[in-house]
Amino acid sequence: MKPAASPPDQQSTPTVLLCSLREDALVEQVAGQDAVNVLTRWGEVRIDEPGPAVREALRRMAFGPVSLVNVLAGLRIEGGSAFEAQCRLLSGALNRLQGTVIQTLALTDGEGALLSVVPISGQARFAVTDIDPGRPLRLSRFATLGSGGDEAVLESPLALHRVLLHHGDALLIAAALARPTTIASLARTLGLPDQVVAAVTAHLVATGMVLAGERDRLGGTRFAEDSDPDLLAWADHDLLFHTRSRLGRHDGAYGAVFPQGHRPPYEPAVKPLPPGKRFTLPRPGAPDPAEPTLTELLESRRTPVAPGGAAVTVEQLSELLHRAARVREVHVGGQDESVCSTTDRPYPSTGDLYELELYLVIGNCSGLPRGIYHYDPQGHGLTLINTDEDALAELLDAAMIASGLRQEPPVLLTVTARFGRLSWVYGGMAYATTLKHVGVLLQTVNLVATAMRLTPQAVAFGDSDASARAFGLDWRRESSVGEMVIGPSSSGT
């Protein structure tokens, strides 16, 4: 990142580059020393002997976008070695601060900013190069264009920047790049000046949002991304989800951040019972002392024989739920129980928040009528919420197909998540955490069921809309996130 050595000719250059610091950056003078510290999201950068150009540039960049040419001109440094020395110092400082310097491309005719390139990682590096007007260009298939409130935002999991599209012209250019085109073609189609189109596309290519391709000998277009084996393995939404649920490639808040403030969560610690006929489950006795140990269960684990259509018993189901998923204790802290209550259950959950619920689709269980039930983990009971045979058959048939079974499973256990229970605290990492919890719960159910000589089998996939209809849920608030079928012992014991 190099400041220009002389002001641009605004008659021939319709755009100008402006620089500013991210809002979370803080510039401080080191007491008693000729040095400044720039405190950034990614750490502290100390600049010794910064010189007047660096000091003035950082001071002004903290307030918003500025032209580095104007900063240098305003210092009234005579040309020659002194001026060149200040340029070198400024260039060096900005290079060290690339992870916190926002670059804004603006129009010189006073029509405002076109776009801003915002670093989202301390490792972000940005360099614009000229692009041949006839070279093929296209948006990356991983790039997403969305609303950032008052303006459009272009993001990609492959990029360490996001692009704010301030101006309608920049938005038109970005949208037109959804299919292969060239700078020259874009300028003709959109009726925009060649230099404006070239500047915008060059910035988008520099971020990685837009790909520069090559012509092959047959007249076609090749983009490296389309044949990269490491990228071919990823669906675009999966790669975005991966990068947004871990640190390193985004600048969003992470951890227990309470994104909506310390108000009561959408969901209480234990879900209120839905309306329906109540079935109190028998409390199980002590586990069979002849059960295998945890090590024996893990070492002998094999893909189970498919659950048959024979019935399980209500006593078996009761013991399975009691040992794997009941509420052992409710903890209340502080004065506001709705905010501070947590629970203790046999499987772990981040922050003891326990956002998961269990629904049972009973096809064949001695002691319980066919139907769809919600499990009450605190009172250890079932509530019959749906007896519609079509809904029952839809879920059991889908589970049979997804599990590779030849007959309807006796019991389908569906795990749902009350999303607000976790996102109230954890924001952007909430859903990834929920999926981890699903694995933990299903493994717990699997081990307990196997120890009880039942036949559990995870279901490869489920239909969230079908389960929401059957369970009477708003899928945006609570939705299915995992399934398992439970059958009797394959040996009949």
Side-chain angles (χ1 to χ4, degrees):
M1 186 184 303
K2 296 182 179 180
S6 58
D9 181 353
Q10 294 191 7
Q11 296 300 317
S12 60
T13 307
T15 60
V16 62
L17 182 64
L18 308 176
C19 293
S20 59
L21 296 178
R22 285 177 51 106
E23 291 184 357
D24 51 11
L26 177 64
V27 181
E28 291 183 339
Q29 171 65 42
V30 178
Q33 301 180 45
D34 184 15
V36 293
N37 277 341
V38 183
L39 308 178
T40 80
R41 180 187 180 93
W42 332 113
E44 181 179 304
V45 178
R46 178 186 171 107
I47 301 173
D48 292 307
E49 300 180 357
V54 172
R55 289 184 185 279
E56 181 62 13
L58 293 180
R59 185 189 70 80
R60 293 177 60 179
M61 287 166 61
F63 292 101
V66 297
S67 165
L68 299 181
V69 171
N70 291 341
V71 170
L72 290 167
L75 295 174
R76 291 186 172 85
I77 301 174
E78 298 294 333
S81 60
F83 181 79
E84 293 298 330
Q86 290 302 309
C87 286
R88 286 195 299 272
L89 287 173
L90 182 53
S91 177
L94 295 181
N95 280 331
R96 293 182 61 196
L97 292 168
Q98 283 199 54
T100 199
V101 173
I102 299 171
Q103 300 201 44
T104 298
L105 182 68
L107 294 166
T108 56
D109 61 4
E111 290 297 315
L114 287 164
L115 59 82
S116 291
V117 177
V118 182
I120 60 172
S121 165
Q123 304 303 311
R125 298 295 179 265
F126 185 75
V128 177
T129 58
D130 292 334
I131 300 172
D132 186 328
R135 189 173 184 181
L137 304 170
R138 191 202 73 197
L139 274 174
S140 165
R141 72 178 175 94
F142 295 97
T144 59
L145 183 62
S147 173
D150 296 334
E151 55 198 358
V153 180
L154 196 59
E155 298 180 284
S156 168
L158 298 176
L160 294 181
H161 299 84
R162 64 172 167 269
V163 180
L164 308 181
L165 302 171
H166 306 298
H167 198 283
D169 290 349
L171 179 57
L172 283 174
I173 294 169
L177 287 163
R179 60 182 181 182
T181 186
T182 64
I183 292 173
S185 178
L186 277 176
R188 289 193 304 271
T189 303
L190 301 178
L192 297 174
D194 290 6
Q195 289 175 301
V196 171
V197 175
V200 170
T201 53
H203 278 69
L204 297 181
V205 170
T207 63
M209 306 290 180
V210 169
L211 311 174
E214 303 291 345
R215 302 286 187 188
D216 60 29
R217 286 181 291 182
L218 299 177
T221 301
R222 293 183 294 105
F223 294 96
E225 178 182 278
D226 297 338
S227 57
D228 186 331
D230 293 329
L231 293 179
L232 289 174
W234 283 99
D236 50 358
H237 58 278
D238 281 342
L239 189 58
L240 180 62
F241 174 57
H242 170 65
T243 58
R244 291 303 185 265
S245 59
R246 300 187 64 81
L247 294 174
R249 303 191 71 87
H250 70 91
D251 61 349
Y254 202 77
V257 296
F258 296 90
Q260 298 171 39
H262 288 264
R263 63 174 180 78
Y266 287 118
E267 304 292 342
V270 179
K271 180 176 178 176
L273 296 182
K277 184 177 180 180
R278 173 83 171 165
F279 291 79
T280 300
L281 295 174
R283 296 277 175 172
D288 184 348
E291 280 187 0
T293 65
L294 176 61
T295 298
E296 289 169 339
L297 287 171
L298 294 173
E299 291 300 320
S300 63
R301 195 214 68 80
R302 299 290 186 273
T303 300
V305 177
V312 297
T313 68
V314 67
E315 290 79 14
Q316 289 172 321
L317 209 53
S318 173
E319 182 178 353
L320 175 63
L321 295 170
H322 187 270
R323 293 173 61 179
R326 78 186 188 281
V327 170
R328 296 186 294 207
E329 191 174 359
V330 176
H331 302 288
V332 178
Q335 296 180 346
D336 192 336
E337 295 185 11
S338 64
V339 175
C340 302
S341 292
T342 59
T343 60
D344 174 62
R345 310 187 192 195
Y347 65 96
S349 177
T350 303
D352 289 339
L353 292 175
Y354 290 99
E355 81 282 14
L356 301 182
E357 297 290 321
L358 291 180
Y359 292 80
L360 287 82
V361 183
I362 304 294
N364 191 0
C365 176
S366 61
L368 286 173
R370 280 174 65 89
I372 299 172
Y373 298 79
H374 170 259
Y375 175 58
D376 170 18
Q378 187 173 22
H380 190 57
L382 295 174
T383 302
L384 181 60
I385 59 174
N386 194 344
T387 58
D388 181 73
E389 189 61 35
D390 289 339
L392 193 73
E394 180 180 18
L395 294 179
L396 290 177
D397 287 347
M400 177 179 68
I401 294 169
S403 303
L405 306 180
R406 296 184 178 180
Q407 53 189 330
E408 182 183 273
V411 176
L412 168 64
L413 185 151
T414 299
V415 182
T416 68
R418 296 181 292 141
F419 302 119
R421 177 69 184 165
L422 212 59
S423 64
W424 163 67
V425 178
Y426 291 107
M429 64 176 277
Y431 189 65
T433 303
T434 285
L435 297 184
K436 298 181 178 97
H437 290 164
V438 174
V440 169
L441 175 55
L442 290 183
Q443 171 73 332
T444 302
V445 172
N446 184 295
L447 290 171
V448 172
T450 303
M452 293 174 58
R453 298 176 178 83
L454 295 173
T455 308
Q457 183 173 325
V459 179
F461 53 86
D463 186 328
S464 58
D465 273 12
S467 61
R469 290 192 300 270
F471 303 161
L473 303 174
D474 180 340
W475 70 269
R476 301 167 302 171
R477 181 172 182 171
E478 180 181 344
S479 182
S480 59
V481 287
E483 291 84 13
M484 176 174 282
V485 293
I486 305 292
S489 170
S490 58
S491 65
T493 59

